[in-house]
Amino acid sequence: MKLEMGSSRVSQLMLFSAIAFAVLAAVHGLGGDNSTDSYWLLRIKSELVDPLRVLDSWSPGAHMCSWNGITCSHDQTHVSGLNLSCSGLSGSISPELWHLASLETLDLSSNFLAGSVPSELGMLQDLRILLLYSNFISGKIPEDIYSLKKLQVLRIGDNQFSGEITPSIGNLTELTVLGLASCQFNGSIPVEIGNLKHLVSLDLQKNNLSGLIPEELRGCKELQNFAASDNRLEGEIPTSMGSLKLLQVLNLANNSLSGSIPVQLSHLSNLKYLNLLGNRLSGQIPLELNRLVQLEKLDLSMNTLSGPVSLFSSQLKNLETLVLSNNDLTGSIPSNFCLQNSNLQQLFLHQNNLTGKFPLELLNCPSLQQLDVSNNNFEGGLPYGIDKLKNLTDLKLNTNSFSGKLPPAIGNMSNLVNFYLFDNVITGKLPPEIGKLKRLSIIYLYDNQLSGGIPIELTNCTSITEIDLFGNHFTGSIPPTIGKLKNLIVLQLRQNDLSGPIPPSLGYCRKLQILALADNKLSGTLPPTFRFLSELYKVTLYNNSFEGPLPSSLFLLKNLQIINFSHNRFRGSIYPLLGSNSLTALDLTNNSFSGPVPSRLAMSRNLSRLRLAHNHLIGNIPNEFVELIELRFLDLSFNNLTGDVSPQLSNCRKLEHLLLSNNKLTGIMPSWLGRLEELGELDFSSNNFHGEIPAQLGNCLRLLKLSLHSNNLSSKIPQEIGNLTSLNVLNLQRNNLSGFIPSKIQECKKLYELRLSENFLTGSIPPELGRLTELQVMLDLSKNSLSGEIPSSLGNLVKLETLNLSFNYLQGEVPFSLAKLTSLHMLNLSNNDLQGQLPSTFSGFPLSSFVGNNKLCGPPLLSCLGSRGREKKSLSNAAVVGIVVAIVCTSTVICLTMLYIMVRMWRNWRRVMISSLDGGGTEQTREEDEWAYGEEKRKNGEYWKVNSMAMNLH
């Protein structure tokens, strides 16, 4: 039905075109030929943009068979071929092409055509070759294309096609070449592709194809080239692939294929190229692959293959490239791996688990040009006969455990270009024979144990571009003839024991881009010849003993991007380093630079790291820093800067570290700091800031360290501090802060250091502090006016190493829960009003930790038992005194009472006796008189005398 509709449409279109052509011929006439094809070609030309004017020859005055890109039939009446490849054409593919009914070849490849493929192309039933690759064509492949029964070559790759490859592809049974690479096709490879019996080349690489490789592919018996790399194919490689006897190229790299490598691939006797890299293949490499005697290139890298290396160039005599890197291969390289007649040129075995000494078997591969056995577990010394590999251009032995000295024979490898031996245990001196390597371009010997001087012969390697000797023990000076290396781009000598000045000849290495001399013992001033290093963009001289002012000629280095001169003895102005407007990092920490911070720094708009700490800089922070919108690290601490912090810094929204401590800055703490949402470290300590801590700091949610100590800040600690849930360090000590410690600080659960000492904080210690279980370095609340008891919850801070609560008004007992603080190595509870027994675990702390608490006891103080004994003894003495007083008083009363009774009895007895002797009248009067006198004497204070006389009379 579809074909009938198509025929009807064709008839209608042909009728229309015939009428149009007749009208055009009658009105204008056609010079040169009488074919309708020329008319439609001119129509097609009118729809294209032709900047290179390749279609200028297409004009009515010339015969179409003479037009550029046109091939005509034998009778020159019809167009049989249209080839406009690489013509710079843009626009879209014209649907008018269907009028060229005799067209057999259509080549529009390598242009700038866009849009979709018109379905009308399906009417070109004589079409055999369709080439549309390398354009910007999009959309799906029209189903009409699959009706081109005579089509033999279809190459439409390197476009923006999408959608699935439909089963209709199986209708193109005459296809010999199918190229659909580098598009956006998805779905699976249709099984109908197995119907293409004449297919010689199938290129599906660099798409989004998924699913399995169809078993039906075995039907393509004439297939010679199958490439499906860089897709998302999965499952195992079909064993039926082994039946494609004519296959020469098999590329399945960078998919998700799994399982083992099928032994059946060894049946592909014509195979020259096999690439299975970047999959999930496992198991051992089949020994049977050694039968592929035509194989020239084999890449099995980036899988999880295991077992030994079982491929031998002695059998694979045509093998030129063998790549087995990034697997889990073990064992050593077999002794029969290589023979003298080997053709092996490239051997890559890096990133495995191969062991043993340097494989002497490789010395039997004189054709080797590139050898990479890096990132394995090889050990032992390098063979003295290594120069047998006379054709070697690349030798990569890095990241193993090779030891011993570097053999002088290395100097005989005259073709050597790249030499990587870093990250081993090579010792001894660098042999002077290295200077014979005239073609040497890169030498990486870093992270070894080489010693001695850098041989001056190295400067004879005039082709050298990169030298990296980082992390060795080289001594002596930098060779004075270093300037002979005119092609030098990278000189990395960091972390050695080099001494002396920088040789002036270094300035003649005019191509130098990276100079790294840090972490040595170099000294002296920078040579004036530095001004010739116009290509230099990175220079690191930190941790040396360079001195003196910077040469003003350094201002000529306009390409500098990264400068690190920190930890030296430079002095004077930093201005000579600012000739470049391309700085991204400048670190001059710990020198003696003086003068103001140059506003010219703001001209490097991409500056991200500026570190000028520990110098003698003066003046204000430049307002021009408002332009540094890429700034992430600003460290101006330990200088003599004055004035307010410029509010223009609020424009530096990417700031992560803002360090201004130990200056003489003044003013209130800026509230605009809350806009710096990327801020991770803020240090304004040891300045003269005053006023409140701005609540807006609570907006800096990424803040890890907040240090505002040693200022004149006042008022309360804002509750918004609790918003800083990522905070590790909070230091607010030595200010004038007052009020309570905010309970919301408990939200800062990642705090490992909290210092609030030497303020005027009041109230009790919030028990919520016990929830800060990550506190480790310090909790310091000393020298405040805190009161109440020590919260028992502080016992939860089991990681805490330092606790200082001294010089407060804390009361009550020390909670025994603090005994759980087994990590404490410094404790100070002195000068409070604490009482009671200390936890036994505190016995190891000095007495000074507890002085000023008179009622505390227990080790290291006096024992609480002795304290109670003293208290009991004191009470017993008082009791004794009381008892003695009581006894004395009681005895006195008793004695007086008895005396009174006795006197009465004696008087009564005497009266009776007198009465019986004298009649008793006179005596009674005298008795009454005595009592009267006695009463009178009591009134005059002579009571005790009267009684004594009475007693004496008795």
Side-chain angles (χ1 to χ4, degrees):
M1 182 68 180
K2 184 175 181 179
L3 290 175
E4 292 176 0
M5 292 175 65
S7 300
S8 174
R9 185 181 179 190
V10 168
S11 300
Q12 294 173 359
L13 290 171
M14 290 185 69
L15 177 61
F16 168 77
S17 61
I19 295 172
F21 175 74
V23 171
L24 184 64
V27 176
H28 299 287
L30 282 174
D33 66 74
N34 297 316
S35 170
T36 60
D37 286 1
S38 60
Y39 167 75
W40 296 114
L41 287 171
L42 291 174
R43 287 282 299 268
I44 293 167
K45 174 186 175 181
S46 67
E47 297 176 10
L48 294 172
V49 178
D50 179 21
L52 303 181
R53 306 184 68 175
V54 295
L55 302 181
D56 278 3
S57 62
W58 290 24
S59 64
H63 195 282
M64 68 177 182
C65 295
S66 66
W67 295 356
N68 183 38
I70 300 298
T71 302
C72 288
S73 59
H74 292 296
D75 59 4
Q76 296 195 340
T77 58
H78 299 288
V79 176
S80 61
L82 178 56
N83 183 356
L84 296 176
S85 64
C86 303
S87 298
L89 300 173
S90 59
S92 59
I93 301 173
S94 173
E96 309 289 4
L97 283 166
W98 76 270
H99 292 290
L100 307 177
S102 299
L103 202 61
E104 297 179 2
T105 300
L106 176 58
D107 187 355
L108 301 176
S109 62
S110 301
N111 282 289
F112 301 95
L113 300 173
S116 59
V117 176
S119 60
E120 287 83 357
L121 293 188
M123 299 177 187
L124 300 173
Q125 291 300 309
D126 288 333
L127 200 62
R128 287 172 170 77
I129 299 175
L130 178 57
L131 306 177
L132 303 178
Y133 61 86
S134 298
N135 279 286
F136 298 94
I137 303 168
S138 58
K140 298 181 179 181
I141 302 174
E143 283 291 315
D144 304 79
I145 295 295
Y146 300 129
S147 66
L148 300 174
K149 300 295 184 181
K150 296 180 181 180
L151 200 61
Q152 297 174 5
V153 178
L154 176 61
R155 294 183 60 193
I156 60 174
D158 194 17
N159 276 291
Q160 299 174 8
F161 288 110
S162 58
E164 297 185 358
I165 304 171
T166 66
S168 302
I169 194 75
N171 298 333
L172 303 177
T173 55
E174 296 300 316
L175 269 185
T176 59
V177 176
L178 177 58
L180 305 178
S182 301
C183 290
Q184 300 171 23
F185 291 114
N186 54 34
S188 59
I189 301 173
V191 296
E192 288 78 8
I193 213 156
N195 298 338
L196 308 181
K197 307 298 182 183
H198 304 295
L199 200 60
V200 174
S201 177
L202 175 58
D203 191 354
L204 304 176
Q205 58 189 344
K206 296 183 180 179
N207 280 288
N208 294 314
L209 298 173
S210 58
L212 307 177
I213 299 173
E215 290 278 357
E216 289 77 4
L217 198 61
R218 65 180 179 272
C220 305
K221 296 295 184 183
E222 298 183 16
L223 196 61
Q224 297 178 23
N225 181 359
F226 177 38
S229 63
D230 297 283
N231 280 286
R232 293 183 290 147
L233 300 173
E234 55 191 8
E236 297 185 355
I237 300 172
T239 57
S240 59
M241 296 288 293
S243 64
L244 301 175
K245 303 295 185 181
L246 300 179
L247 203 62
Q248 296 180 24
V249 174
L250 177 58
N251 186 358
L252 302 176
N254 296 320
N255 280 286
S256 297
L257 300 170
S258 57
S260 58
I261 299 173
V263 175
Q264 289 79 0
L265 294 185
S266 63
H267 301 157
L268 303 176
S269 56
N270 291 298
L271 200 62
K272 294 181 179 180
Y273 179 92
L274 175 58
N275 190 349
L276 303 178
L277 81 87
N279 281 284
R280 301 174 185 174
L281 300 172
S282 58
Q284 297 191 9
I285 301 172
L287 192 62
E288 291 81 0
L289 293 187
N290 287 294
R291 299 174 187 168
L292 301 175
V293 294
Q294 300 297 323
L295 203 60
E296 296 175 1
K297 299 182 186 298
L298 174 60
D299 192 343
L300 305 179
S301 62
M302 297 178 68
N303 282 285
T304 56
L305 299 171
S306 57
V309 176
S310 55
L311 296 169
F312 313 106
S313 66
S314 56
Q315 296 181 30
L316 303 171
K317 295 183 179 181
N318 290 303
L319 192 64
E320 298 176 357
T321 301
L322 176 59
V323 187
L324 303 178
S325 55
N326 294 88
N327 279 290
D328 295 320
L329 300 176
T330 55
S332 58
I333 297 176
S335 58
N336 58 343
F337 178 79
C338 214
L339 295 178
Q340 290 292 340
N341 60 351
S342 167
N343 197 37
L344 192 63
Q345 298 175 20
Q346 298 171 310
L347 177 59
F348 301 107
L349 302 176
H350 58 275
Q351 202 75 43
N352 279 287
N353 292 309
L354 299 173
T355 56
K357 296 185 177 181
F358 183 92
L360 296 176
E361 296 75 23
L362 297 181
L363 301 182
N364 295 325
C365 298
S367 58
L368 266 180
Q369 297 177 14
Q370 294 177 299
L371 173 61
D372 189 349
V373 296
S374 63
N375 293 87
N376 279 285
N377 298 311
F378 290 114
E379 58 186 4
L382 300 181
Y384 279 83
I386 196 170
D387 56 342
K388 289 182 179 180
L389 300 175
K390 58 184 178 181
N391 292 308
L392 212 59
T393 61
D394 295 83
L395 178 57
K396 298 184 179 181
L397 309 176
N398 55 280
T399 320
N400 281 285
S401 296
F402 289 119
S403 58
K405 297 181 179 181
L406 191 60
I410 199 81
N412 299 327
M413 302 175 70
S414 57
N415 289 304
L416 197 60
V417 176
N418 299 312
F419 183 31
Y420 294 7
L421 189 56
F422 61 87
D423 196 13
N424 279 287
V425 200
I426 304 298
T427 57
K429 296 182 178 181
L430 188 60
E433 288 81 0
I434 202 85
K436 295 161 62 177
L437 302 177
K438 301 299 184 182
R439 298 185 60 192
L440 189 65
S441 176
I442 296 176
I443 179 168
Y444 286 171
L445 301 179
Y446 60 86
D447 283 329
N448 277 287
Q449 298 179 17
L450 292 164
S451 57
I454 299 173
I456 197 170
E457 291 82 359
L458 183 62
T459 62
N460 294 330
C461 303
T462 52
S463 297
I464 208 161
T465 60
E466 297 185 30
I467 299 175
D468 194 337
L469 306 181
F470 163 85
N472 281 283
H473 304 292
F474 287 109
T475 56
S477 61
I478 299 171
T481 55
I482 192 77
K484 293 167 60 178
L485 303 180
K486 305 297 184 183
N487 295 303
L488 193 63
I489 296 174
V490 176
L491 179 59
Q492 170 62 273
L493 303 179
R494 182 187 154 213
Q495 211 171 97
N496 281 282
D497 294 311
L498 299 171
S499 57
I502 296 175
S505 71
L506 182 65
Y508 303 115
C509 300
R510 294 175 183 255
K511 294 183 179 180
L512 195 64
Q513 296 179 15
I514 298 177
L515 176 61
L517 304 180
D519 294 308
N520 278 286
K521 300 174 182 177
L522 299 169
S523 58
T525 59
L526 299 187
T529 53
F530 246 56
R531 68 182 183 276
F532 300 131
L533 301 178
S534 58
E535 300 296 319
L536 196 65
Y537 75 85
K538 179 178 181 180
V539 54
T540 56
L541 306 180
Y542 58 88
N543 289 339
N544 279 289
S545 298
F546 292 116
E547 59 187 7
L550 300 174
S552 59
S553 58
L554 292 183
F555 195 82
L556 299 174
L557 304 182
K558 303 295 185 181
N559 290 307
L560 281 174
Q561 297 179 24
I562 300 173
I563 303 174
N564 192 337
F565 285 7
S566 63
H567 301 278
N568 279 286
R569 301 171 187 170
F570 290 114
R571 56 184 170 82
S573 173
I574 69 177
Y575 195 81
L577 294 175
L578 307 184
S580 169
N581 295 335
S582 304
L583 288 175
T584 60
L586 176 62
D587 190 344
L588 305 180
T589 305
N590 200 13
N591 280 282
S592 296
F593 289 110
S594 56
V597 178
S599 60
R600 182 180 170 82
L601 281 166
M603 298 184 70
S604 292
R605 301 296 168 82
N606 291 315
L607 189 64
S608 63
R609 294 177 65 86
L610 178 58
R611 306 192 67 177
L612 305 178
H614 292 273
N615 281 285
H616 305 300
L617 301 174
I618 59 174
N620 297 336
I621 300 172
N623 291 332
E624 289 80 0
F625 278 14
V626 66
E627 305 291 343
L628 299 178
I629 59 175
E630 298 296 324
L631 198 62
R632 297 181 183 274
F633 202 122
L634 177 59
D635 186 358
L636 303 178
S637 56
F638 291 91
N639 279 286
N640 295 309
L641 301 176
T642 55
D644 294 348
V645 179
S646 172
Q648 277 79 7
L649 281 180
S650 64
N651 199 46
C652 305
R653 297 296 180 90
K654 295 183 180 181
L655 266 176
E656 298 173 1
H657 304 267
L658 180 54
L659 313 178
L660 303 178
S661 67
N662 293 87
N663 279 285
K664 299 175 182 177
L665 298 170
T666 56
I668 62 171
M669 188 64 57
S671 60
W672 52 258
L673 290 170
R675 303 178 203 164
L676 306 179
E677 296 181 358
E678 301 296 320
L679 205 59
E681 182 180 12
L682 178 63
D683 191 348
F684 278 23
S685 59
S686 298
N687 279 286
N688 295 312
F689 292 110
H690 63 272
E692 299 181 357
I693 298 174
Q696 290 86 346
L697 281 178
N699 298 330
C700 303
L701 301 182
R702 298 188 179 184
L703 205 58
L704 300 177
K705 179 181 178 181
L706 176 58
S707 185
L708 306 177
H709 71 83
S710 304
N711 280 286
N712 296 312
L713 300 175
S714 58
S715 192
K716 297 179 180 180
I717 301 173
Q719 290 281 351
E720 288 78 5
I721 288 290
N723 298 342
L724 307 179
T725 55
S726 297
L727 203 61
N728 296 150
V729 175
L730 177 59
N731 190 344
L732 305 178
Q733 64 186 13
R734 299 192 192 100
N735 279 287
N736 298 316
L737 299 172
S738 58
F740 299 158
I741 298 174
S743 59
K744 281 201 68 176
I745 207 169
Q746 66 177 307
E747 303 298 330
C748 305
K749 296 186 184 301
K750 296 182 180 180
L751 271 178
Y752 64 79
E753 181 176 343
L754 176 58
R755 299 175 187 243
L756 304 178
S757 63
E758 297 184 58
N759 280 286
F760 299 99
L761 299 174
T762 57
S764 59
I765 299 174
E768 291 85 357
L769 292 186
R771 298 180 183 177
L772 302 177
T773 54
E774 294 301 315
L775 273 177
Q776 179 176 348
V777 175
M778 177 173 290
L779 173 59
D780 189 354
L781 307 179
S782 64
K783 297 183 179 178
N784 279 286
S785 299
L786 299 172
S787 58
E789 297 185 349
I790 299 174
S792 61
S793 61
L794 295 189
N796 299 328
L797 309 180
V798 294
K799 297 180 181 179
L800 195 61
E801 297 173 355
T802 299
L803 175 61
N804 192 348
L805 305 179
S806 63
F807 291 94
N808 279 288
Y809 300 103
L810 299 175
Q811 302 171 342
E813 297 186 350
V814 177
F816 274 85
S817 61
L818 298 191
K820 296 186 291 184
L821 304 182
T822 55
S823 298
L824 278 181
H825 58 72
M826 200 289 278
L827 173 67
N828 194 347
L829 303 179
S830 66
N831 296 288
N832 281 285
D833 293 321
L834 300 171
Q835 63 183 15
Q837 184 171 355
L838 289 171
S840 59
T841 53
F842 288 0
S843 60
F845 292 106
L847 288 172
S848 58
S849 297
F850 310 105
V851 297
N853 294 282
N854 295 330
K855 297 181 181 180
L856 277 179
C857 61
L861 304 174
L862 293 176
S863 72
C864 293
L865 182 61
S867 178
R868 284 193 295 269
R870 288 196 312 273
E871 186 178 345
K872 287 178 181 179
K873 183 174 181 181
S874 175
L875 290 172
S876 297
N877 290 339
V880 167
V881 172
I883 291 170
V884 169
V885 171
I887 290 173
V888 170
C889 292
T890 304
S891 300
T892 302
V893 171
I894 292 172
C895 290
L896 289 173
T897 303
M898 290 180 65
L899 179 60
Y900 174 76
I901 293 171
M902 290 175 68
V903 168
R904 289 295 302 268
M905 289 177 65
W906 180 77
R907 288 180 180 245
N908 289 335
W909 175 78
R910 182 177 177 84
R911 190 169 51 246
V912 171
M913 290 297 295
I914 294 174
S915 177
S916 60
L917 292 176
D918 300 322
T922 306
E923 186 62 33
Q924 183 177 8
T925 304
R926 289 176 61 191
E927 178 79 5
E928 291 174 354
D929 290 341
E930 286 220 12
W931 278 109
Y933 285 125
E935 188 67 26
E936 182 68 24
K937 290 177 181 178
R938 280 197 297 270
K939 291 179 181 179
N940 294 328
E942 298 180 3
Y943 175 89
W944 291 106
K945 290 183 179 179
V946 170
N947 280 297
S948 296
M949 289 174 65
M951 291 178 69
N952 289 331
L953 286 173
H954 177 72

